[in-house]
Amino acid sequence: MEQNKRKQLWWQVPLLVLLVAGTLFIAREQRGAPYQKCSGMIFGTAYNITYQSRQELQDEIEATLKQVDAEFSMFNDESTVSRINRGEQPPRSQMFEEVYELAQTVSRETDGAFDITVAPLVNAWGFGFKHEQMPTAEQVDSLLQIRSQLDFSAIAKGYGVDVVARLLKAKDVSNYMVEIGGEVITRGMNPGSEPWHIGVTKPTDDSLAVDGGELQTILTLTDRALATSGNYRNFYYKDGRKYAHTIDPRTGYPVQHNILSATVLADECATADAYATSFMVLGLDGARRVLERHPELQAYLIYTDKEGQLSVWSNLEDEH
């Protein structure tokens, strides 16, 4: 018996040596590989990707993003979601089902604060602000009953980030940063051989975004995803009252919380994206209750205190 064990171990040694040698070779090749960048437009917003590889992967990255666009883009008349909203019944891909199920999960975990069927209400309030005619209480009540139209805009960007990260991982890329419209995922190190540094914009009442985007803080991010949602540049004043662009799908009305910006960190960007939107609906106290139930999530929440000053609540340990 003992002799057989020794024989098995001797046979495993060459395999182990080959495995270690192969790993070292790949690591050495990756260290010497250049960092490459690609950028473009998707979902009506910009994307920027930095990755370390000897392969030029822009064509494959763009093809992957087009697959996501073909499922979830509200700007693509032939996307699956656009066809569903027109009353058609297109086939639903595995990609569609994955995001749909995640949306339902986050909705349950936030007591309905995240809802991909809120599109009719969002459209009604947006139209009303543009034409200075808010929807009536009767119209809001009626729209609350309409749940046939889907809007994945609060989760699709994050999912797009995730699928590009999966592509890079499949190509054995160990160091990368993928960003779509401010939603980010990172792995490994940046070109300076440091962890990636991601800025969080300071909220200001600047609906025209003329301030250039002063940073509130810089977060160190490695092997983690980040998404931010905020009302500070999307609001309207009517009759002396400020209305946020975030609609509470449970009431049908714009939220009236003191939270200005919610940044969420998670393992996957789609998850971070959905919870960031949810926290803008839930407000500071509601967001903290969700975070207590989900220790796998971290957040950096900016709000106005009782004196009207900017304040921060965070369960992050590493920030600058």
Side-chain angles (χ1 to χ4, degrees):
M1 176 83 80
E2 210 49 50
Q3 189 174 4
N4 287 337
K5 285 184 178 178
R6 283 198 297 269
K7 286 182 178 179
Q8 288 175 355
L9 288 173
W10 278 112
W11 276 108
Q12 290 171 2
V13 168
L15 294 174
L16 182 60
V17 170
L18 285 172
L19 179 61
V20 171
T23 302
L24 291 173
F25 175 77
I26 292 171
R28 188 170 62 251
E29 283 293 295
Q30 288 177 342
R31 280 199 301 271
Y35 277 83
Q36 305 196 49
K37 295 184 178 183
C38 66
S39 59
M41 297 293 295
I42 196 75
F43 316 135
T45 190
Y47 70 83
N48 295 279
I49 300 164
T50 301
Y51 61 98
Q52 186 182 27
S53 176
R54 295 191 186 281
Q55 292 180 271
E56 203 285 309
L57 300 171
Q58 181 154 356
D59 288 346
E60 291 178 73
I61 289 170
E62 290 182 351
T64 299
L65 287 172
K66 285 178 181 177
Q67 287 182 323
V68 181
D69 182 270
E71 296 290 342
F72 306 110
S73 178
M74 305 291 284
F75 300 91
N76 182 348
D77 290 338
E78 295 307 314
S79 69
T80 300
V81 66
S82 293
R83 293 178 63 189
I84 290 172
N85 289 346
R86 288 199 299 267
E88 300 177 28
Q89 294 183 328
R92 299 191 179 189
S93 67
Q94 182 178 345
M95 182 180 286
F96 187 96
E97 294 296 343
E98 180 184 357
V99 178
Y100 184 85
E101 286 302 316
L102 175 59
Q104 299 311 303
T105 297
V106 176
S107 180
R108 288 192 298 271
E109 293 299 314
T110 59
D111 299 320
F114 185 79
D115 192 335
I116 56 172
T117 67
V118 76
L121 284 162
V122 172
N123 293 337
W125 280 100
F127 183 84
F129 283 125
K130 289 176 183 176
H131 295 270
E132 298 186 356
Q133 185 174 356
M134 307 301 180
T136 64
E138 291 77 13
Q139 288 171 327
V140 170
D141 289 341
S142 176
L143 289 171
L144 278 170
Q145 309 306 315
I146 300 174
R147 299 291 177 169
S148 60
Q149 284 194 311
L150 303 177
D151 184 350
F152 288 89
S153 59
I155 197 171
K157 285 190 298 181
Y159 184 73
V161 168
D162 288 332
V163 294
V164 172
R166 292 176 195 174
L167 169 67
L168 295 175
K169 186 176 180 180
K171 297 290 184 179
D172 293 321
V173 178
S174 298
N175 301 301
Y176 58 76
M177 187 277 295
V178 181
E179 180 262 331
I180 301 177
E183 323 300 24
V184 180
I185 197 167
T186 67
R187 188 181 184 203
M189 299 294 174
N190 67 17
S193 299
E194 299 176 343
W196 299 87
H197 304 297
I198 308 298
V200 176
T201 303
K202 183 176 183 178
T204 58
D205 278 4
D206 177 26
S207 61
L208 298 178
V210 296
D211 68 343
E214 180 185 352
L215 292 182
Q216 172 77 24
T217 189
I218 298 175
L219 303 180
T220 299
L221 198 67
T222 299
D223 302 334
R224 201 83 165 128
L226 173 153
T228 298
S229 183
N231 281 324
Y232 53 95
R233 282 186 177 157
N234 294 278
F235 58 85
Y236 306 86
Y237 283 100
K238 182 174 175 60
D239 300 328
R241 187 176 181 183
K242 182 179 178 180
Y243 292 86
H245 87 296
T246 299
I247 305 300
D248 188 333
R250 303 165 299 179
T251 66
Y253 288 88
V255 297
Q256 295 293 316
H257 297 306
N258 61 343
I259 190 168
L260 299 175
S261 170
T263 296
V264 176
L265 278 69
D267 289 334
E268 295 190 330
C269 201
T271 300
D273 202 358
Y275 275 105
T277 299
S278 304
F279 290 171
M280 294 305 300
V281 172
L282 291 168
L284 182 62
D285 293 338
R288 291 178 64 175
R289 285 194 292 271
V290 172
L291 289 164
E292 287 173 3
R293 300 197 302 268
H294 289 276
E296 76 279 9
L297 302 176
Q298 295 171 293
Y300 187 92
L301 309 175
I302 306 174
Y303 64 98
T304 51
D305 61 21
K306 292 179 181 178
E307 285 73 42
Q309 301 299 312
L310 284 185
S311 296
V312 171
W313 182 92
S314 174
N315 60 355
L316 286 166
E317 295 180 359
D318 188 8
E319 69 172 271
H320 299 285

